[in-house]
Amino acid sequence: MGQRKEERNYVIDHQEPPFHVIHKLPPGDSPYVRAKHVQLVHKDPEGAIVLFWKAINAGDRVDSALKDMAIVMKQQDRAEEAIEAIKSFRDRCSKQAQESLDNVLIDLYKKCGKIEEQIELLKQKLRMIYEGEAFNGKRTKTARSHGKKFQVTIKQETSRILGNLGWAYMQQGSYLAAEVVYRKAQSIDPDANKACNLCLCLIKQTRYTEAHSVLNDVLQSKLSGSEDPKSRSRVKELLHELETCQSSVVTLPSGLSLEDAFVEGLEQLMSQWSPHRSKRLPIFEEITPCRDQLAC
C-alpha cells in the first residue's frame, strides 16, 4: 500500500503545467486570449491582428490588445497603420497604459522615419517626468527584457530618453544638438553606447581630439557596457573612422536655429541637480517656463 501511495504522489508531483503556462498565454477564452493563442501558438500574425481588432472592439483587455496589435503590425511592416490605430483607440485605454503606448509609438515613428514626431514625443515624455506623471507617479517602474523583470529609476529613464532624443537629432544631421543632449544623458547615467554616439557626433563636427577623448573612456572600460562585444566592435569602427579623418579643430557653428532655448534650459536645469528634489525630474525642474520654446 505504501509503495502505491508513493507512486501516485510521484505522478501528481510531475504533472505538466497547464497549456497557457507552457505557451505564456493569459488564462481564459476571451477575444484577447484567442488573439494571443493565434499569435504565439499558431504563429499567424495576420490572423492575430484580426483577433486583436475584435478584442479592442469588444472592450476586452484593450490596453494589452492595442499595444500587442501595434507591435505585431510593426513586425509585418504595417507601422503606419499601427500609428493610426494607437492614435485612434488610445482614448479607450487606461491612464496607466499611456506611457507604454508612447514607447510603442516612438519605435513606430523610428521605423517610419518620422523624426519630427519622434522628437516631439520624446520631449513630451521628458515633460511628463518633470510634472511627476511618469511611472504613474512612482519613483521606479518594473520593466521587462528578454523575459526578465528589472527595476528602472526615474534617473535611468531620463538618461534613456535623452539618449533616444540625441539619436533622433543625429538622424536629422543636427550633430551639435545631439552632442549637447548626449552629454546631459551621460552626466546622469553614463554608458558605452551613448559614449560611442557622442563620439560620432564629434567626428561629424570634425572635432577629432574630443572624439578620441570620449572613446578612451570606453577603451579603458570606465563605462557600463564597455566590455560588451557590440560596444567593442563599434569602438573599432569609430577608431578606424577617426584614423582616416584629418586632425583639425573647427569652431562650433553659431546662430543655432534648432534648440537654443532647449539647450539653455538643459544647462540651467543641470545646475539644479539635487538629491532633495528626486521625486520629480531633477534635470528638468525649470522646463515648464520655456515649454513653448521646446518645439523644433
Side-chain angles (χ1 to χ4, degrees):
M1 292 290 290
Q3 185 177 359
R4 284 197 296 273
K5 183 176 181 181
E6 289 176 2
E7 290 173 354
R8 285 197 298 270
N9 286 338
Y10 178 83
V11 172
I12 292 172
D13 290 342
H14 288 76
Q15 284 181 338
E16 288 189 1
F19 181 86
H20 72 274
V21 174
I22 294 174
H23 294 280
K24 299 181 179 179
L25 295 168
D29 187 31
S30 67
Y32 175 72
V33 174
R34 289 195 290 273
K36 294 298 290 183
H37 188 279
V38 171
Q39 177 195 3
L40 300 176
V41 180
H42 294 296
K43 309 296 184 182
D44 179 7
E46 294 296 341
I49 289 172
V50 172
L51 292 172
F52 280 131
W53 272 123
K54 290 184 177 180
I56 293 168
N57 290 326
D60 179 34
R61 305 194 193 187
V62 179
D63 291 2
S64 298
L66 182 57
K67 178 183 175 183
D68 289 349
M69 184 180 72
I71 292 173
V72 175
M73 283 180 168
K74 177 190 172 188
Q75 294 167 347
Q76 295 302 109
D77 292 324
R78 295 168 61 181
E80 294 272 5
E81 188 178 345
I83 290 170
E84 292 306 313
I86 291 178
K87 289 182 176 180
S88 299
F89 292 96
R90 68 183 305 167
D91 61 338
R92 299 190 187 185
C93 298
S94 67
K95 181 180 178 181
Q96 290 73 23
Q98 299 304 317
E99 187 174 347
S100 180
L101 290 171
D102 281 343
N103 290 334
V104 176
L105 265 180
I106 288 171
D107 285 340
L108 291 169
Y109 286 146
K110 187 183 297 185
K111 176 83 171 179
C112 296
K114 294 180 178 290
I115 306 301
E116 295 290 343
E117 291 87 344
Q118 186 182 344
I119 288 174
E120 183 56 37
L121 188 49
L122 287 166
K123 289 181 179 179
Q124 179 181 319
K125 288 178 72 66
L126 290 172
R127 289 194 290 268
M128 285 179 63
I129 293 177
Y130 157 66
E131 291 167 358
E133 296 177 7
F135 294 10
N136 295 314
K138 299 179 181 179
R139 296 189 180 190
T140 63
K141 73 172 180 179
T142 301
R144 187 188 297 271
S145 178
H146 304 294
K148 295 182 180 180
K149 293 182 178 180
F150 57 95
Q151 292 296 309
V152 178
T153 66
I154 285 286
K155 185 176 180 180
Q156 291 170 325
E157 180 72 352
T158 303
S159 181
R160 184 188 71 83
I161 294 173
L162 285 170
N164 287 338
L165 183 59
W167 183 253
Y169 283 146
M170 287 180 68
Q171 305 316 298
Q172 284 188 326
S174 303
Y175 298 113
L176 180 57
E179 175 201 342
V180 172
V181 173
Y182 274 127
R183 288 192 186 279
K184 299 308 177 185
Q186 288 292 77
S187 70
I188 299 172
D189 188 32
D191 63 43
N193 181 57
K194 291 195 290 287
C196 288
N197 288 337
L198 175 57
C199 173
L200 182 56
C201 290
L202 294 167
I203 291 175
K204 294 297 184 180
Q205 297 176 69
T206 65
R207 293 159 60 191
Y208 307 128
T209 301
E210 293 174 75
H212 264 296
S213 177
V214 170
L215 212 54
N216 280 337
D217 287 341
V218 185
L219 288 169
Q220 297 172 16
S221 300
K222 292 182 179 180
L223 302 174
S224 171
S226 294
E227 300 300 327
D228 184 271
K230 290 183 179 179
S231 296
R232 286 293 175 184
S233 176
R234 188 141 185 245
V235 166
K236 289 181 180 179
E237 292 174 2
L238 289 168
L239 282 173
H240 177 72
E241 187 169 351
L242 277 167
E243 288 171 358
T244 58
C245 293
Q246 291 183 348
S247 179
S248 60
V249 179
V250 178
T251 305
L252 291 178
S254 60
L256 293 176
S257 60
L258 150 86
E259 298 289 328
D260 289 341
F262 183 62
V263 169
E264 182 181 351
L266 283 173
E267 294 290 349
Q268 295 173 353
L269 299 165
M270 278 302 294
S271 68
Q272 307 235 355
W273 183 275
S274 167
H276 303 296
R277 309 177 76 164
S278 59
K279 263 196 170 182
R280 292 189 176 187
L281 174 60
I283 187 176
F284 287 96
E285 287 281 357
E286 302 296 333
I287 206 168
T288 301
C290 54
R291 183 176 304 173
D292 295 337
Q293 299 173 327
L294 289 176
C296 294

